């Protein structure tokens, strides 16, 4: 291999990469959080809802999980202005990622809803809990505990793979920044080596954050790795 | 006036009528035992009282008030006043013993925390588990879990306690400790409806025994009347079979 790595220019522009990483992190967190709310609603409807609503959720899930995220985001990016909505690139990306994550999370959380022990639900009911209270105090802690690994993995998918789609609609998240910067001085390999490392660090921070959140909110003793 | 009066209560699973007009009553502080062969509808009686299985006919009166199970609000009003413990342990697994006891009083009733916790400690003492206050359910034996479930049911200060074969899933050596806890509740004057296969225990604590078969009450009376001098053939058969073991 004759290529000589020259990282100097990358370090000069490191603050911009950090900005990109920060945007990636925010996008990932908000898309996942929004997706979790959508997914929780979707899973609750699939479990308790009347059939017309269930059909609606099923249609949404099938539509989203069977098309690429990029297509969905392009759809918003090019489609929304046609109906008179002028949203920023970031907003299109965030809405797109949220809707995308919401569909997958509906499926993941649905598995959690199904696996709650009926006896625990009945215990809650006979103690006088409403449906919302059963979900809050029995189903959600159960989900957080039993499918935590699936949730954590999916968060990483959103954070790393989901957000990088933004580069294609001009959002300067980490991948977008790397493309912008390296196309100025052609140090592609150096930039992407550093950016890969930054993604790993991001993922690590995110995993710890999620574990602490689970412990704090749901009293889940989760392992981080 | 009886504390709980059940009159002509009916219930169905689908098209199958499993309670075909059940009537019995219980005075305050009394213990009534429901006995009968498997599938006779004992659990369904308790589930119907708690609003878990819909009642299709008949009336339930508790402390002089009609319980009406026609809306979810009414069902919750009934659940406010009665508590049930099932055969299967069903503690909330993600919570400690203390949290199991205090969740409903704090979050649903919004009672005062200091009082709720003091009462929880008292109840855990009553069932002999003061040292397990911070344990999770998977750190407890079956008998201990059932005693926590008893304490949890009592934490809402029910006017009547329903027990559905609370010792049936336990290893034999753990049955005694749970029965002891129930004896203590009886001594405290708790009104209870008990479904049990422990005939020795029923004879000891029950004021009245109700024998059911195929969704109907066949015979009711004191333990001595039913165990020693049953009037109906079906009761005779049942008790002579079960008491022989
Ligand atoms: N969820 C259900 N769906 C349909 N049928 C049911 C259901 N639960 C109970 N049954 C039927 O209702 C009848 C009464 O059942 P129940 O559980 O009340 O009997 P039981 O007296 O408690 O019996 P066991 O001593 O075995 O607990 C039985 O024929 C049973 O098969
Ligand atoms: Mg039963």
């Amino acid at each position: 291999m004759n290529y000589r790595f020259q990282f100097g220019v990358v370090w000069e522009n490191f603050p911009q990469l950090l900005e990109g990483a920060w945007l990636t992190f925010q996008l990932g967190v908000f898309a996942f959080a929004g997706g979790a709310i959508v997914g929780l609603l979707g899973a609750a409807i699939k479990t308790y809802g009347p059939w017309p609503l269930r059909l609606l959720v099923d249609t949404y899930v099938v539509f989203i999980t069977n098309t690429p995220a990029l297509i969905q985001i392009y759809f918003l990016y090019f489609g929304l202005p046609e109906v008179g909505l002028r949203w920023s690139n970031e907003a299109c990306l965030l809405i797109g990622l949220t809707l995308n994550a919401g569909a997958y999370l509906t499926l993941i959380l649905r598995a959690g809803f199904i696996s709650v022990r009926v006896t625990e639900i009945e215990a809650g009911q006979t103690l006088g809990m409403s449906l919302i209270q059963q979900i809050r105090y029995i189903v959600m802690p159960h989900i957080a505990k039993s499918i935590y690994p699936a949730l954590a993995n999916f968060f990483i998918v959103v954070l790393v793979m989901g957000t990088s789609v933004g580069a294609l609609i001009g959002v300067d998240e980490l991948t977008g920044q790397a493309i912008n910067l390296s196309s100025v001085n052609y140090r592609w390999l150096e930039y992407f080596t550093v950016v890969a490392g930054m993604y790993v660090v991001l993922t690590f921070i995110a995993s710890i954050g999620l574990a602490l959140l689970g412990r704090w909110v749901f009293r889940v003793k989760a392992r981080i790795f | 006036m009886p504390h709980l009066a059940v009159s002509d209560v009916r219930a169905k699973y689908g098209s199958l009528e499993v309670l075909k007009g059940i009537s019995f009553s219980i005075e305050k502080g009394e213990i009534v035992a429901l006995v009968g062969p498997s599938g006779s509808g004992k659990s369904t009686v308790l589930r119907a009282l708690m609003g878990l299985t819909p009642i299709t006919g008949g009336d339930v009166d508790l402390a002089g008030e009609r319980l009406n199970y026609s809306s979810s609000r009414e069902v919750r009003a009934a659940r406010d006043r009665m508590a049930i413990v099932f055969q299967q342990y069903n503690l909330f697994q993600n919570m400690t013993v203390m949290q199991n006891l205090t969740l409903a009083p704090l979050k649903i009733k919004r009672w005062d925390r200091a009082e709720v916790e003091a009462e929880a400690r008292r109840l855990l003492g009553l069932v002999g588990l003061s040292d397990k206050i911070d344990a999770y359910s998977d750190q407890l034996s079956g008998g201990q879990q059932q005693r926590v479930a008893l304490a949890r049911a009592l934490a809402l200060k029910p006017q009547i306690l329903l027990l559905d074969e609370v010792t049936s899933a336990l290893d034999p050596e753990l049955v005694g400790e749970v029965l002891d806890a129930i004896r203590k509740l009886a001594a405290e004057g708790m009104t209870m409806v008990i479904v049990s296969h422990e005939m020795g225990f029923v004879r000891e604590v029950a004021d009245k025994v109700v024998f059911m078969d195929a969704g109907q009450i066949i015979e009711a009376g004191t333990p001595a009347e039913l165990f020693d001098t049953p009037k109906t053939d079906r009761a005779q058969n049942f008790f002579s079979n079960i008491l022989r073991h």
Side-chain angles (χ1 to χ4, degrees):
Chain A
M1 207 169 87
N2 297 322
Y3 191 85
R4 291 195 35 223
F5 281 90
Q6 296 179 9
F7 283 103
V9 55
V10 179
W11 301 133
E12 276 168 33
N13 291 309
F14 196 65
Q16 272 160 283
L17 286 181
L18 272 183
E19 270 173 38
W22 176 231
L23 184 57
T24 287
F25 188 71
Q26 287 174 301
L27 285 168
V29 168
F30 286 125
F32 184 80
I37 293 170
V38 174
L40 202 59
L41 266 174
I45 289 172
K46 270 175 80 78
T47 313
Y48 303 109
W51 72 264
L53 278 181
R54 291 205 307 269
L55 188 69
L56 194 73
V57 170
D58 284 338
T59 311
Y60 157 67
V61 169
V62 166
F63 180 76
I64 296 282
T65 55
N66 290 298
T67 52
L70 179 59
I71 303 288
Q72 295 154 20
I73 287 160
Y74 269 169
F75 198 76
L76 292 175
Y77 184 64
F78 294 112
L80 288 179
E82 297 298 328
V83 293
L85 290 170
R86 298 221 154 268
W87 288 349
S88 68
N89 301 0
E90 282 83 2
C92 285
L93 179 63
L94 188 57
I95 306 283
L97 289 177
T98 300
L99 290 177
N100 183 268
Y104 286 97
L105 284 165
T106 297
L107 294 179
I108 297 176
L109 295 173
R110 165 76 173 150
F113 270 77
I114 294 175
S115 66
V116 184
R117 299 186 311 161
V118 179
T119 54
E120 247 179 273
I121 294 288
E122 286 192 339
Q125 289 174 343
T126 57
L127 290 171
M129 289 186 194
S130 65
L131 184 60
I132 302 286
Q133 287 167 329
Q134 290 162 38
I135 293 175
R136 164 73 184 83
Y137 295 114
I138 304 174
V139 180
M140 282 177 53
H142 167 82
I143 287 177
K145 192 167 205 160
S146 65
I147 59 175
Y148 176 78
L151 284 177
N153 286 341
F154 187 69
F155 176 63
I156 303 306
V157 171
V158 173
L159 182 67
V160 176
M161 288 173 48
T163 57
S164 62
V165 168
L168 294 166
I169 59 167
V171 174
D172 296 334
E173 42 67 60
L174 186 48
T175 302
Q177 283 290 37
I179 293 175
N180 293 344
L181 292 168
S182 52
S183 57
V184 174
N185 46 43
Y186 309 111
R187 287 287 152 201
W188 303 94
L189 275 179
E190 286 86 343
Y191 270 110
F192 284 108
T193 307
V194 170
V195 162
M198 290 173 78
Y199 270 115
V200 172
V201 172
L202 257 185
T203 313
F204 181 72
I205 294 172
S207 299
I208 292 179
L210 220 57
L212 290 178
L213 189 75
R215 211 173 273 212
W216 175 51
V217 181
F218 300 116
R219 306 176 210 93
V220 179
K221 294 190 202 90
R223 288 186 323 149
I224 291 165
F225 292 105
Chain B
M1 188 177 54
H3 190 49
L4 175 74
V6 174
S7 28
D8 200 28
V9 161
R10 292 166 185 276
K12 282 183 185 166
Y13 282 114
S15 60
L16 177 73
E17 185 160 60
V18 290
L19 298 184
K20 302 167 184 163
I22 296 290
S23 307
F24 67 91
S25 65
I26 174 167
E27 301 296 329
K28 203 169 170 56
E30 258 188 352
I31 297 179
V32 167
L34 294 183
V35 301
S38 182
S40 56
K42 307 178 297 291
S43 298
T44 308
V45 170
L46 302 192
R47 294 177 61 84
L49 287 173
M50 289 308 287
L52 290 169
T53 298
I55 290 180
T56 51
D59 293 316
V60 179
D61 297 275
L62 181 59
E65 277 174 57
R66 177 68 38 99
L67 296 181
N68 184 335
Y69 297 87
S70 57
S71 68
S72 60
R73 169 195 286 252
E74 305 270 6
V75 167
R76 283 169 76 184
R79 289 172 182 168
D80 251 10
R81 304 172 61 187
M82 293 184 281
I84 189 166
V85 180
F86 298 99
Q87 170 179 353
Q88 305 86 357
Y89 332 129
N90 57 11
L91 298 184
F92 303 129
Q93 293 187 306
N94 62 299
M95 297 179 203
T96 64
V97 165
M98 188 63 162
Q99 288 162 345
N100 262 278
L101 262 69
T102 56
L103 175 68
L106 289 179
K107 304 288 181 178
I108 297 167
K109 292 295 164 58
R110 307 202 171 278
W111 290 345
D112 175 69
R113 175 175 286 274
E115 279 170 34
V116 165
E117 287 182 351
E119 175 66 2
R121 279 174 216 284
R122 186 187 77 81
L123 290 168
L124 286 175
L126 188 76
V127 298
L129 287 174
S130 297
D131 54 328
K132 297 293 183 190
I133 203 159
D134 292 319
Y136 284 83
S137 63
D138 55 11
Q139 299 165 326
L140 300 175
S141 72
Q144 290 170 333
Q145 291 190 47
Q146 276 306 51
R147 286 186 280 153
V148 174
L150 275 175
R152 182 179 66 184
L154 294 168
L156 287 174
K157 305 183 193 298
Q159 295 171 352
I160 189 159
L161 181 61
L162 314 176
L163 305 178
D164 190 0
E165 301 196 39
V166 293
T167 59
S168 301
L170 298 178
D171 292 338
E173 70 270 21
L174 299 177
V175 169
E177 63 189 49
V178 176
L179 295 185
D180 277 342
I182 301 171
R183 280 188 191 95
K184 283 193 188 149
L185 299 180
E188 283 207 337
M190 190 75 217
T191 313
M192 291 186 264
V193 181
I194 297 179
V195 173
S196 180
H197 289 307
E198 304 281 338
M199 290 304 157
F201 179 68
V202 167
R203 182 187 275 263
E204 172 198 334
V205 302
D207 299 289
K208 197 192 299 175
V209 178
V210 172
F211 172 68
M212 290 181 62
D213 194 9
Q216 286 174 311
I217 292 179
I218 308 299
E219 199 175 332
T222 64
E225 281 168 0
L226 261 85
F227 290 179
D228 304 334
T229 56
K231 296 189 194 69
T232 57
D233 287 348
R234 273 197 270 185
Q236 228 158 24
N237 274 335
F238 176 77
F239 287 111
S240 64
N241 273 327
I242 206 163
L243 294 177
R244 218 182 294 135
H245 296 299

